[in-house]
């Protein structure tokens, strides 16, 4: 039976790009990709079985994805997937991820993110699967005590959103689990700020409602869906006063997952390992606006408004550990991030609904 | 319909004593007590519907307890209880609580304690019940940065067991929930070290297996179930080198819950409030041994062994807030704690199984 990589939340933004990269790297039939997703944040065209993102990936790669519509908190449904496929490892993206919404609906976030992760790990253990790559976030570091943020930086302090806390709690649960049972091999990838889209322009980030994140907001202003960008504060202690973040191209991020999977093959590799995925370079909001304007040829009107609660001034990643352990570095430039986002957005002004 | 107080985990140690105090304080029929418990840690005699602890409380108080055997993670079963009774507030004890076991079975602890709490709160909201008293622990403070431990001391740092983390995570979830919805009135009672038993000697602490906590361990040595007490380290920076804790009589603790419930009646009371329940005084292991010897007239042989991972030297409570907000102070002495524990243990050498 062909080994399978189970991808939870594989229809979403980072999940779909990781699935694409996995399939693009595949030369023969070494593994099959099994995606489970409850489609709470993914669009499916009428009459289709698969969400648009997966349908398009199958076209791009000319390969088949096994897809099951289910919520990972449904232990019975999840068990059936493990019974049907020879799951070798799991890449776990499935989670709710809107910071602002998490403040309004904390219980839903904790139930989906912690409950989902616990049920997934319980099911993995039941079927003897102990290799897990987890979709974590630099949010777990809270307000930086030092920069760049290395993996030894304290986590869990002063976290301001249930979203961020849920990522931190899940990491702690995974740490404790890997201490209790040496069979576990868990890699928690702490993403900085994923942006960009597949170079084809056919899949990309498709947020529901008003985007929470800068890049899709800029892109929707450029394409005319939104009238102006709101900039949350220009009085931060940064060169131009706007917040500085470490943006990373989603294709680099996807490649990081592929590299992380190779760690599982290393003799003696076990336990819980947190690894940053970032570029190591921060850009300000206004630098992003300028770069996107250059890439798209569109004007990006913006307005400075007050700071947003819970935002920090600056963060960027220490990349030493990811380079050492994964042999990986982000290679895409800021121009690539903007050009690829623009290709996706201009081809699909309303996201997957128009593709 | 008579208002009901729903007590989760009401068959357990602190739960059963709180139920007893509530019923003892009741003059007429102001409320009914509804206990839900999955009996994972409570003994029930063959042929009985109710666990021994509740059966005995009904004898002591001459009052009836409504009992449902269910796991609070079973949302449907829990909903039926809310449909059957006019639940006015919830006192939430149900949780797994063995520190050492939590290190071995972290997933079970997180699922029971976080999953249980989330399902409970979801169900409460569904039925419009927003008053919650939570059974928390001084464990959330981790290694003390200062003593006495006041409620403003940081929580969640350096926690060494999944048990402790699960208490901390639940408090954070409750905080976030009370921020998102002003209807919530949540009081998290941070217990120091509950000991003792009901003055009748008919209900008390009945741990499964070798006790984790000092007092039941001493009591089982005194009664001859265990041959000697293991003292985990005598090289701590304390007067006699053994660990110092703030032991509180479980009847004082129970009274604290009754007082906390009165806060719900205060106009304008809302949000999340953490309140210590301790005496403010610490006793060392050897002081406890001496006091128990005096109370029981039994010799307590002990042996000093190495420190236990995760133990701290000293903790004791700042009691100012509990006094101010609840108008409550622990009144039982160390002698009471030992005498009442001994009455329970000597009458019931094998706990509820022999009662």
């Amino acid at each position: 039976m062909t080994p399978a990589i189970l991808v939870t939340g594989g229809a979403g933004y980072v999940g779909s790009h990781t699935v694409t990269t996995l399939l693009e790297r595949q030369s023969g039939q070494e593994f099959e990709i099994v995606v489970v997703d409850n489609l709470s944040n993914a669009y499916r065209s009428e009459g289709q079985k698969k969400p648009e993102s997966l349908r398009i990936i199958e076209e791009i790669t000319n390969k088949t994805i096994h897809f099951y519509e289910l919520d990972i908190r449904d232990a019975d449904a999840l068990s059936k997937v493990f019974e049907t496929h020879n799951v070798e490892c799991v890449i776990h993206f499935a989670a709710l991820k809107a910071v602002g919404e998490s403040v309004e609906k904390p219980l839903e976030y904790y139930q989906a993110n912690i409950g989902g992760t616990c049920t997934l790990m319980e099911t993995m253990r039941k079927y003897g699967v102990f290799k897990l790559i987890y979709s974590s976030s630099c949010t777990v570091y809270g307000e930086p005590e030092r920069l760049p943020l290395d993996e030894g930086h304290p986590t869990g302090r002063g976290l301001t959103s249930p979203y961020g806390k849920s990522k931190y709690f899940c990491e702690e649960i995974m740490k404790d689990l890997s201490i209790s049972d040496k069979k576990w091999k868990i890699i928690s990838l702490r993403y900085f700020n994923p942006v960009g889209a597949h170079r084809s322009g056919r899949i990309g980030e498709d947020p529901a409602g008003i985007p929470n994140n800068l890049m899709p907001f800029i892109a929707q202003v450029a394409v005319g869906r939104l009238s102006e960008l709101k900039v949350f504060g220009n009085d931060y202690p940064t060169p131009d006063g706007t917040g500085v973040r470490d943006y990373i191209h989603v294709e680099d991020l996807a490649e990081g997952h592929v590299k992380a999977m190779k760690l599982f093959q290393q003799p003696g590799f076990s336990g819980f390992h947190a690894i940053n995925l970032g570029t190591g370079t921060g850009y300000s909001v206004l630098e992003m606006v300028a770069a996107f304007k250059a890439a798209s040829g569109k004007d990006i009107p913006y307005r400075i408004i007050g700071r947003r609660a819970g935002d920090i001034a600056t963060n960027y990643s220490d990349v030493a550990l990811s380079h050492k352990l994964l042999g990986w570095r982000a290679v895409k430039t800021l121009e690539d991030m903007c050009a690829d986002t623009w290709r996706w957005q201009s081809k699909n002004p309303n996201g997957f609904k128009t593709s």
Side-chain angles (χ1 to χ4, degrees), chain A:
Chain A
M1 212 173 158
T2 315
I5 301 168
L6 174 63
V7 184
T8 74
Y13 174 46
V14 183
S16 62
H17 285 82
T18 301
V19 166
T20 307
T21 300
L22 281 165
L23 290 172
E24 285 173 343
R25 294 276 171 286
Q26 186 179 40
S27 50
Q29 295 290 326
E30 308 98 270
F31 56 83
E32 54 183 22
I33 295 285
V34 179
V35 167
V36 298
D37 200 302
N38 69 359
L39 304 187
S40 70
N41 261 322
Y43 180 73
R44 177 168 56 185
S45 292
E46 235 178 272
Q48 291 288 337
K49 187 184 169 288
K50 289 177 185 168
E52 282 304 282
S53 56
L54 298 186
R55 210 181 55 69
I56 295 168
I57 295 170
E58 290 184 328
E59 287 183 14
I60 294 173
T61 62
N62 200 26
K63 286 177 178 156
T64 302
I65 297 164
H66 300 269
F67 170 68
Y68 299 90
E69 182 182 352
L70 62 84
D71 190 301
I72 54 169
R73 285 172 287 174
D74 182 343
D76 292 338
L78 195 57
S79 286
K80 277 190 195 129
V81 174
F82 280 82
E83 272 161 26
T84 309
H85 298 276
N86 176 23
V87 177
E88 167 75 20
C89 74
V90 177
I91 313 182
H92 175 35
F93 297 103
L96 294 175
K97 65 168 187 178
V99 173
E101 186 186 57
S102 78
V103 175
E104 286 156 33
K105 301 180 175 179
L107 200 50
E108 287 72 4
Y109 269 68
Y110 288 119
Q111 288 181 305
N113 295 4
I114 302 181
T117 298
C118 285
T119 304
L120 173 65
M121 292 193 296
E122 186 185 22
T123 309
M124 289 176 68
R125 185 171 62 185
K126 180 174 150 196
Y127 290 95
V129 179
F130 293 96
K131 294 173 188 159
L132 176 64
I133 292 177
Y134 178 56
S135 178
S136 188
S137 166
C138 63
T139 308
V140 301
Y141 295 122
E143 175 96 37
E145 290 177 7
R146 57 180 184 260
L147 287 166
L149 283 159
D150 62 278
E151 291 83 351
H153 185 284
T155 56
R157 297 191 180 178
L159 303 186
T160 50
S161 78
Y163 163 76
K165 288 186 197 174
S166 75
K167 289 287 163 187
Y168 166 65
F169 293 168
C170 284
E171 281 201 354
E172 293 300 303
I173 292 170
M174 289 173 184
K175 275 182 206 170
D176 290 333
L177 197 59
S178 68
I179 290 167
S180 74
D181 185 345
K182 300 302 177 196
K183 288 199 282 296
W184 285 98
K185 301 168 197 266
I186 303 179
I187 302 170
S188 182
L189 298 176
R190 294 178 178 160
Y191 309 159
F192 280 66
N193 290 55
V195 296
H198 189 260
R199 61 205 172 283
S200 67
R202 297 197 61 202
I203 59 170
E205 187 170 9
D206 185 21
I210 305 290
N212 284 286
N213 299 328
L214 178 64
M215 194 66 141
F217 206 124
I218 292 178
Q220 291 193 13
V221 171
V223 87
R225 264 175 82 175
L226 294 169
S227 60
E228 64 175 8
L229 172 70
K230 290 190 179 83
V231 176
F232 297 109
N234 67 346
D235 56 351
Y236 284 105
T238 60
D240 63 22
T242 63
V244 168
R245 298 289 181 274
D246 180 338
Y247 297 94
I248 175 169
H249 195 294
V250 68
E251 287 199 292
D252 277 334
L253 201 65
E255 185 68 29
H257 291 72
V258 177
K259 290 288 201 302
M261 284 182 53
K262 293 192 196 302
L263 277 188
F264 293 143
Q265 266 71 57
Q266 281 191 6
F269 181 83
S270 77
F272 174 90
H273 302 265
I275 305 175
N276 287 339
L277 292 183
T279 66
T281 303
Y283 292 105
S284 76
V285 174
L286 297 183
E287 285 175 311
M288 294 300 285
V289 169
F292 203 90
K293 189 174 167 180
S296 65
K298 299 283 176 183
D299 211 34
I300 317 288
Y302 66 86
R303 190 160 50 97
I304 309 287
I305 61 171
R307 292 185 181 192
R308 185 167 60 175
D311 275 354
I312 58 177
T314 303
N315 83 354
Y316 53 92
S317 167
D318 186 311
V319 299
L321 190 68
S322 62
H323 187 57
K324 185 182 156 202
L325 287 186
L326 307 180
W328 168 93
R329 271 190 209 283
V331 295
K332 303 265 187 180
T333 63
L334 177 59
E335 288 67 37
D336 297 327
M337 300 180 206
C338 294
D340 290 339
T341 301
W342 179 239
R343 190 175 303 111
W344 154 252
Q345 187 70 67
S346 55
K347 277 182 154 187
N348 307 276
N350 293 306
F352 284 114
K353 284 193 188 64
T354 51
S355 67

